[in-house]
Amino acid sequence: MPVRAVAVTGASPEAMDGRGELMTSGPVDKLEALLRLLPDAFLVLGSAGDVLDYLGGGADDPVLDPANMPGRAVSDLLPKETAALVVQHARRALKTRRLSTIEFQLGERGVQQSYEMRLVAMSRDRVLGVVRNLSQGPSSAGAGNAFGSSFEYDEFLSRLEAVICDAALRERGLVLLSIGLEQVTRIRRHLGKAVADAVLQVAGTRIESCLRGGDQLARTAPDSGAQTQFARLGADEFVIILRDVEDRDAARSISARVREAFAEPVTFDEHSFEMSPHIGIALYPLDGESAEEILKNARTALDEARVRGGNGLEFYTSTTRYRVRRRLDVGKELAWAIDDGQLELRWLPRIDLGNGCIAGLEALLRWNHPLRGLVALNELIPLAETTGLMLPIGEWVLETACAQAAEWRSTWKEMPPVSVNLSPQEIAREDLADVVGQALAASGLPPAGLELEITEAELMREEKSAAVLRRLDKLGVGLVIDDFGRGYSSLNRMTELPIKAIKIDRPIVEACRESDARGAVCAAIIAMASRLGLTVIAEGVETVEQINFLRDQGCDALQGFFFTEPLVRDDVPGFLAAHLGATPDGEPVDLPTIRSRFALTSAD
């Protein structure tokens, strides 16, 4: 079977001496007896890739038979690609005296298993190979990384409990920082474990650099005397323990340094990833007296930091706990809302500055809660993302928007396109183009009748977004960059991608009448986009002064509460009739009155 992923080489393990050779202690027979009890298989390999000895372990593996491997070459035991990789990493371990790790898959008699092999030099020409079956239980992912230890949950709690006991005896405080890097999950899903592990290694190194001078990593027991302990816990979470800390200032200082450390993207091979760590903080003894309680509360604060955004930092408080519990309850209600018909769309019109007619309708999601009424969008979207409901909700929005647009198009043949906003989680979908295509096919809406909006920040986040946009463009839908001017788009990237229009970010539009500088920025964006052949749309228009300025600068269209607040479905036909020139039954419409009311153009 082909090799699935190859992990990057890591740091020397603790069990190696200063010359890079493996250290053992105790009688050999006791060691062999211990090895036989372990689920991992321990093999001794030669530099040529031959299995010299089997030390024990892995006896119950459903595919491997390690006891019968000695005296045979790995090329006779493993598929060609996997065997070549084992030999390559064995020689690397001998040369560098550092731990090297690979992953591969094997199948036999219909049984498919995933394996991890760690290779470390024992002598000048012998390598210890530890083979773990990842399909049979939890993996110690991250072992061998240069940035410190990776702990199982119970092991970490045990170490934290020891630190807390020490703090209690000395009557000192401590701070626990839980650092989340959610982007790693996407990287692992789309680019594989090897790339995710490499990114984690870089991330861990950056976090390590933020610790206080003189502090050490927690690679040894908690009583080693180090003032700071640092570990990776879980797939995308790092934990820092600050000992002898009495207040929040040290936590704020290190948190700020952690976030500053990720100001530059993390790069690996040809990939570049922008990462924004979120940090939850709990203090001992203020926020709990046990290891489990302190860790739980730090993670609760981390969840709050993820939802609230901003500077990505949140201290645990009783209010935090209340908000998180409330969000969990509301999350359950949101899951029911999808099937219970509580979700609805509101429609915000876009007006053509040239003729005053409607140029598009943006679909805005609303949750009509039976008790709370309309739930604010800035609460609904983060809730959907954190509860894992963003994808099914996104599908509902696409299907509903396409169905309603197709219904209106049957009455108004000149019906403008409707636009739907895509979340980062939706853009990360491998099957997004298929989902959009199915929604179009089910509704009968032509692709030109749909626009999809992606934020400027998401456009620049990673190359995968560009691939998604190109697949969507092949469907024939329009692609619009939302919140333009908030991020730092590359003009070269803009010209390479199939973009139809940009929407100038609301704060720029709102302030364009207040200062020459903001007006100059707005004017420059319009001029640049026009030269690139892009339609320019201004968001958040609320005054006649803004309209006049935007028209003078050559803006194509605008939307905002100056014209109307988002319309419920039943009010859309009347608005369409007013702007498309006729009612469904053919009655004439007084366009001059409507257009003069909006102060857009003179009467026809």
Side-chain angles (χ1 to χ4, degrees), residues 468-480:
V468 171
L469 291 183
R470 292 188 180 100
R471 286 196 292 270
L472 292 172
D473 180 60
K474 288 183 179 179
L475 287 177
V477 301
L479 300 172
V480 179

Side-chain angles (χ1 to χ4, degrees), residues 537-560:
I537 305 161
E539 297 185 277
V541 175
E542 295 182 353
T543 69
V544 174
E545 290 78 13
Q546 289 173 324
I547 294 173
N548 291 334
F549 176 87
L550 293 166
R551 185 197 295 111
D552 292 343
Q553 300 304 320
C555 185
D556 298 297
L558 34 81
Q559 64 183 51

Side-chain angles (χ1 to χ4, degrees), residues 137-151:
S139 166
S140 57
N145 286 339
F147 53 82
S149 305
S150 175
F151 296 99

Side-chain angles (χ1 to χ4, degrees), residues 18-338:
R19 295 169 299 172
E21 297 187 358
L22 188 71
M23 298 186 295
T24 60
S25 60
V28 174
D29 56 343
K30 290 184 179 180
L31 178 61
E32 291 180 346
L34 174 63
L35 292 177
R36 282 195 294 271
L37 298 176
L38 298 178
D40 298 346
F42 292 78
L43 305 169
V44 179
L45 307 178
S47 58
D50 47 334
V51 181
L52 302 178
D53 197 4
Y54 165 60
L55 303 180
D60 298 327
D61 192 276
V63 174
L64 291 178
D65 186 7
N68 291 323
M69 289 185 176
R72 303 177 66 184
V74 292
S75 58
D76 296 330
L77 299 168
L78 301 173
K80 181 179 179 181
E81 290 183 12
T82 305
L85 200 63
V86 170
V87 174
Q88 174 189 342
H89 280 255
R91 291 174 178 172
R92 179 183 296 176
L94 288 170
K95 182 178 180 180
T96 64
R97 299 287 162 170
R98 297 173 72 85
L99 179 72
S100 191
T101 304
I102 64 174
E103 284 193 7
F104 55 90
Q105 291 182 325
L106 294 175
E108 183 176 335
R109 297 184 300 275
V111 179
Q112 187 78 9
Q113 303 287 296
S114 298
Y115 294 89
E116 174 188 77
M117 176 180 280
R118 303 178 194 173
L119 298 151
V120 62
M122 298 179 66
S123 64
R124 273 190 264 177
D125 58 357
R126 293 194 173 200
V127 176
L128 175 66
V130 182
V131 183
R132 166 166 293 186
N133 189 325
L134 300 178
S135 303
Q136 299 298 305
S139 166
S140 57
N145 286 339
F147 53 82
S149 305
S150 175
F151 296 99
E152 297 294 339
Y153 181 76
D154 290 340
E155 179 186 1
F156 181 80
L157 283 182
S158 177
R159 294 200 174 198
L160 178 57
E161 197 67 61
V163 176
I164 289 176
C165 289
D166 176 70
L169 288 173
R170 297 188 299 115
E171 296 184 346
R172 304 299 298 269
L174 64 84
V175 172
L176 183 70
L177 285 75
S178 177
I179 305 170
L181 294 170
E182 292 74 34
Q183 295 88 347
V184 175
T185 301
R186 290 179 57 189
I187 295 170
R188 183 179 292 105
R189 184 189 308 124
H190 297 294
L191 298 177
K193 183 178 182 297
V195 176
D197 284 349
V199 170
L200 281 170
Q201 182 176 1
V202 175
T205 301
R206 290 189 183 185
I207 295 174
E208 177 185 353
S209 70
C210 301
L211 303 182
R212 294 176 291 177
D215 291 340
Q216 300 175 10
L217 297 185
R219 292 196 180 105
T220 56
D223 59 357
S224 62
Q227 294 301 102
T228 300
Q229 299 205 24
F230 172 59
R232 187 178 128 209
L233 186 63
D236 60 2
E237 179 186 8
F238 292 90
V239 181
I240 295 176
I241 305 172
L242 303 179
R243 304 175 71 179
D244 296 337
V245 174
E246 304 296 337
D247 56 39
R248 300 183 174 191
D249 291 341
R252 286 194 182 96
S253 176
I254 287 187
S255 297
R257 277 183 265 166
V258 168
R259 290 188 60 80
E260 290 171 2
F262 290 90
E264 295 295 326
V266 173
T267 58
F268 175 71
D269 287 345
E270 74 279 13
H271 304 290
S272 179
F273 310 98
E274 289 187 9
M275 310 195 74
S276 301
H278 294 97
I279 305 172
I281 303 173
L283 285 69
Y284 167 84
L286 179 64
D287 299 326
E289 297 185 353
S290 70
E292 188 169 8
E293 188 176 11
I294 290 291
L295 178 58
K296 179 188 71 174
N297 290 342
R299 285 175 156 178
T300 297
L302 172 60
D303 289 340
E304 184 69 7
R306 286 168 171 155
V307 172
R308 291 171 67 87
N311 64 1
L313 171 66
E314 193 76 23
F315 283 89
Y316 176 81
T317 66
S318 58
T319 304
T320 304
R321 179 177 58 190
Y322 167 77
R323 285 198 296 255
V324 171
R325 287 181 177 176
R326 177 175 176 272
R327 196 159 47 242
L328 289 173
D329 292 338
V330 176
K332 295 176 183 177
E333 295 178 358
L334 179 57
W336 301 331
I338 300 174

Side-chain angles (χ1 to χ4, degrees), residues 393-405:
I393 289 177
E395 291 179 8
W396 180 89
V397 171
L398 269 172
E399 293 167 359
T400 305
C402 288
Q404 293 188 5

